[in-house]
Amino acid sequence: MSQERLARRYLLLRPLGSGGMGRVWLARDEMLDREVAVKELTLPEGLPPQERAELIARAAREAQATAQLRHPGIVALHDVVVEHDRPWLVMELLRGRTLGDAVREHGPMPQEYAARIGAEMLDALSAAHARGLQHRDVKPGNVFLTDSGRVVLTDFGIARQEGQATLTEQGLMIGSPGFIAPERLEGDPGGPASDVWSLGATLFTAVTGAPAYGGTAAERIRATLTRPVPHAPGPLGPVIAAMMAPHPAARPPAPQLIQALRQVAAGQQAQLPAHHEATTPVRVRKRGRPLLWVAVAAVAAVVVAAATTTVLLMRDRASGGVPEAFTAPMDVCSLLGEEEVGLFLRTQQPPKATPGSDEVGPRCQWPIQGSGVELQVQKDSDTRDPWAMTPETARTLFANQRRWWDTHDKLDWTWPEIGTKASVPVTRTPVRTIAGVGEEAFAFELKGGTGRIHTAIVHYRLSNLVVFVGYTALSERLGDEDIKQAAVKAAQATERALRHAG
């Protein structure tokens, strides 16, 4: 846990997730005695001071526009802090899970429930549109279902105010393939109707359990531009088809759609205007530029805008070795064998693996009294799981992690399972690049009050996976160098297992 405070009131507790634009923290507002979420925005490295100052000022302006939105269906922005030469957004803390997570865990949603979600989201979007603000990345991962029953639209980080470019845009197509409206894929900046299309695609996923258009990023983009909208089952089907009409003008106005969604939520038949019911069968309009060029350009932009999208690379290298991407989920605990754990912990009775998971990704621990090994395969906050990361997003995540550790050297540390009941202050050794693990790696250690190293940590990237490996030994029988080497060897063992699995 970091002891860092922002604006002398926001105490950073622990990271909740990270993405291409930075990291989200659990924090405590000590002035109001409440927990909040803090989004740390990471700006590109190597910027001239003047350009960096302009980007910070623009981020503050975008935050001001978002802060004007007051709606129960939009995550509230409490404060903006500029410290350590970058902006930090202080937001309300939501507890629950995303619509995407709910569908993956439980399958398609009941029609009435999905319709209620759609009505509340469209009402929230209408509030944003009334202030000239487009969301531009409505998707299942940005619809949050709170434990208290609220439905909240999150991540206005790439929102666009009419007439303005955004901090994250920089001239590129922003969004998630399969959830980007066709007019935006053609290069149009889009408008409120574009968010309506994206919400329709989100509801399609909610009631079917699968996206309207599948495949690679290029295939999803091509299908959005050329294929008819697939039919969603049940009473919500005609409403979704109307929302996903290919021409923005053919999509019903938001008030009519909200009424139709609420009718389905109440178990009634949706009443849509006859004009829209007649025009929802899709006609592919003639494009003003070659379709292939549009698809290729959009895919290139999506790869660059890795903070807000996922592109799966499914091909393996023909020559063997590391695949271009690990796309099949695997048991993280299987990456270290029982015999290997016993050697690292110097015991003939190695502990059983303890699996777990949090916002950062699946993890596994092997704790015994006074010692332990831990492992986590990590993801950014914009990707559903580590296996959906790409080499590009993994490189960004890896760089962000190193950048963060480079600036945080005073921490609180605890591991109750090995016998540390209370957190203790520790100091980080300098972060250093290491060779012999993955395609890139860095390492550092944690020292207690005596100046002795008790924990060594290695972060490495292999293709599209970012892996954290930690080794702890509280006993003074092991020297600093022994602990360092144990962490590196554990990391190398996990890398060998990944290469074999790939």
Side-chain angles (χ1 to χ4, degrees), residues 24 35 37 67 79-80 82 94 107 121 218 232 264 269 272 359-360 407:
V24 179
E35 289 187 331
D79 196 4
V80 180
V82 178
L94 302 175
M121 285 296 88
V264 176
Q269 190 70 27
L272 286 170
E359 297 89 347
V360 182
T407 57

Side-chain angles (χ1 to χ4, degrees), residues 228-295:
V229 177
H231 176 69
L236 205 50
V239 184
I240 293 174
M243 296 173 74
M244 295 182 70
H247 300 282
R251 299 165 203 158
Q256 295 178 358
L257 286 171
I258 291 173
Q259 180 180 4
L261 289 165
R262 287 175 175 163
Q263 288 170 337
V264 176
Q268 304 169 3
Q269 190 70 27
Q271 301 297 318
L272 286 170
H275 167 73
H276 290 290
E277 288 180 343
T279 57
T280 50
V282 173
R283 302 184 303 273
V284 178
R285 63 180 174 182
K286 294 182 179 179
R287 307 294 168 185
R289 66 186 89 174
L291 173 62
L292 181 60
W293 183 92
V294 173

Side-chain angles (χ1 to χ4, degrees), residues 147-195:
D147 294 338
S148 63
R150 277 176 65 199
V151 182
V152 184
L153 186 61
T154 65
D155 205 348
F156 270 81
I158 64 168
R160 176 181 182 272
Q161 198 163 21
E162 289 179 348
Q164 292 185 4
T166 69
L167 171 67
T168 53
E169 185 169 14
Q170 299 178 2
L172 299 172
M173 173 65 66
I174 302 292
S176 302
F179 297 94
I180 306 174
E183 63 271 17
R184 289 195 56 233
L185 291 176
E186 290 189 304
D188 192 290
S194 303
D195 281 345

Side-chain angles (χ1 to χ4, degrees), residues 203-353:
L203 294 179
F204 185 99
T205 299
V207 298
T208 66
Y213 302 114
T216 65
E219 290 168 344
R220 295 196 297 273
I221 291 170
R222 182 179 293 275
T224 300
L225 292 170
T226 62
R227 281 172 44 193
V229 177
H231 176 69
L236 205 50
V239 184
I240 293 174
M243 296 173 74
M244 295 182 70
H247 300 282
R251 299 165 203 158
Q256 295 178 358
L257 286 171
I258 291 173
Q259 180 180 4
L261 289 165
R262 287 175 175 163
Q263 288 170 337
V264 176
Q268 304 169 3
Q269 190 70 27
Q271 301 297 318
L272 286 170
H275 167 73
H276 290 290
E277 288 180 343
T279 57
T280 50
V282 173
R283 302 184 303 273
V284 178
R285 63 180 174 182
K286 294 182 179 179
R287 307 294 168 185
R289 66 186 89 174
L291 173 62
L292 181 60
W293 183 92
V294 173
V296 171
V299 169
V302 162
V303 171
V304 174
T308 57
T309 187
T310 298
V311 182
L312 296 179
L313 301 179
M314 304 295 290
R315 303 182 310 278
D316 286 348
R317 291 176 181 162
S319 59
V322 183
E324 290 189 3
F326 295 86
T327 58
M330 65 182 70
D331 178 8
V332 173
C333 292
S334 69
L335 296 180
L336 281 180
E338 182 177 326
E339 183 177 347
E340 290 174 313
V341 172
L343 290 173
F344 293 135
L345 298 182
R346 305 192 178 202
T347 176
Q348 295 182 353
Q349 296 181 328
K352 291 184 178 180

Side-chain angles (χ1 to χ4, degrees), residues 35-49:
E35 289 187 331
V36 294
V38 174
K39 187 166 188 177
E40 172 188 5
L41 296 183
T42 304
L43 301 180
E45 292 184 342
L47 291 176

